[in-house]
């Protein structure tokens, strides 16, 4: 072997080693993203699904290839997620690490947009959520999801909206509801505790106490029963008031025969109780995983 041949072979080995190292350090994406799907005029949703077909993912009409796949499975249970933003802002993209976390555990995550106040009211936002749930129920099987196993989840304003949809009995049959950290279960009680509404509540709920009653989940929970299981999470932000409002609504549902759990996240802030979901060892994450496993059977 000549010196040139040895140099060539050594160079090829080095190149292959570098390629292998680069591939080994790539993040393993066990997820398919179906992005920007219109579920209602002007409103879109994203579907994050466990990778089932060799790594093909559709994003904005473009087919991408992933290197890794979870392989074929049956239809996966579905989490429909409503983002936060004080009813006046926010986007379906604000899902933190939830897609990687939930798809790795075999769930389909559907993150939705909804109209914002003042372009609509809270009634309109609940109607958007219901339209998204209906779309999911009709179409999610095409993306590997099980339309018979749906849980609603939301953070902040989104937590209020999923609680409202369940309380009003407009979401159809769902396996569970996970409202994550909101104080708007009883707006009359909230206003009494705080002394006023303040931003963003005054923007979303207005100054008319009749609207506070109309847009409070407690109003509807007092009138009926038969609610799906609920897991409430609350942070330590605003201290005792947030805890009291969450437990007050949880206790009302219990009195109506609902299966209810409450996670006391006193060590979290309003932001971190959503931002840390999916992180190893996170207590809120573990609690949600247990709830999902129970209700999705």
């Amino acid at each position: 072997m000549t010196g040139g041949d040895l140099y060539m072979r050594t160079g090829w080995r080095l190149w292959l080693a570098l390629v292998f190292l680069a591939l080994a350090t790539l993040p393993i994406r066990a997820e398919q993203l179906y992005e920007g799907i219109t579920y209602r005029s002007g409103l879109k949703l994203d579907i994050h699904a466990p990778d089932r077909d060799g790594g093909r993912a559709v994003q904005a009409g473009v087919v991408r290839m992933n290197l890794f796949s979870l392989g074929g499975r049956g239809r996966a249970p579905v989490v429909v997620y409503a983002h936060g933003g004080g009813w006046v802002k926010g986007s379906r993209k604000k899902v933190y690490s939830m897609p990687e976390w939930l798809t790795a555990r075999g769930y389909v995550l559907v993150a939705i947009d909804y109209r914002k106040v003042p372009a609509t009211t809270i009634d309109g936002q609940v109607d958007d959520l219901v339209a998204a749930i209906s779309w999911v129920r009709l179409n999610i099987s095409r993306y590997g999801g099980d339309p018979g196993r749906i849980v609603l989840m939301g953070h902040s304003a989104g937590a209020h909206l999923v609680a409202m949809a369940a309380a009003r009995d407009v979401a159809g049959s769902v396996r569970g509801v996970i409202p994550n950290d909101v104080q708007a279960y009883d707006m009359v009680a909230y206003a009494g505790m705080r002394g006023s509404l303040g931003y963003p509540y005054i923007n979303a709920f207005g100054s008319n106490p009749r609207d506070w009653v109309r847009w409070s989940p407690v109003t509807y929970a007092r009138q009926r029963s038969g609610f799906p299981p609920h897991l409430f999470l609350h942070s330590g932000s605003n201290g005792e008031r947030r805890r009291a409002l969450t437990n007050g609504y949880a206790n009302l549902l219990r009195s109506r025969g609902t299966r209810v759990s409450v996670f006391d996240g006193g060590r979290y802030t309003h932001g971190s109780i959503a931002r840390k979901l999916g992180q190893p060892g996170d207590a809120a994450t573990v609690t949600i995983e247990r709830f999902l496993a129970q209700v999705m059977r």
Side-chain angles (χ1 to χ4, degrees), residues 33 57 75 77 93 104 147 159 167 169 177 185 192 215 226 256 260 290:
L33 172 60
R75 289 180 180 174
K93 298 300 181 183
D169 193 25
V177 185
Y185 301 113
W215 293 326
R256 310 300 292 176
V260 175
R290 288 173 179 167

Side-chain angles (χ1 to χ4, degrees), residues 16-63:
L16 288 172
L18 290 173
V19 170
F20 179 80
L21 179 62
L23 290 174
T25 56
L26 283 173
I28 297 177
R29 182 182 178 88
E31 173 200 343
Q32 291 177 307
L33 172 60
Y34 304 89
E35 186 176 27
I37 300 171
T38 299
Y39 74 87
R40 154 174 273 188
S41 179
L43 294 172
K44 299 181 183 298
L45 56 78
D46 293 342
I47 300 174
H48 306 264
D51 196 345
R52 296 160 45 87
D53 61 357
R56 297 171 65 86
V58 181
Q59 181 176 1
V62 178
V63 176

Side-chain angles (χ1 to χ4, degrees), residues 68-80:
F68 302 93
S69 172
L70 289 178
R73 293 181 179 175
R75 289 180 180 174
V78 181
V79 176
V80 176

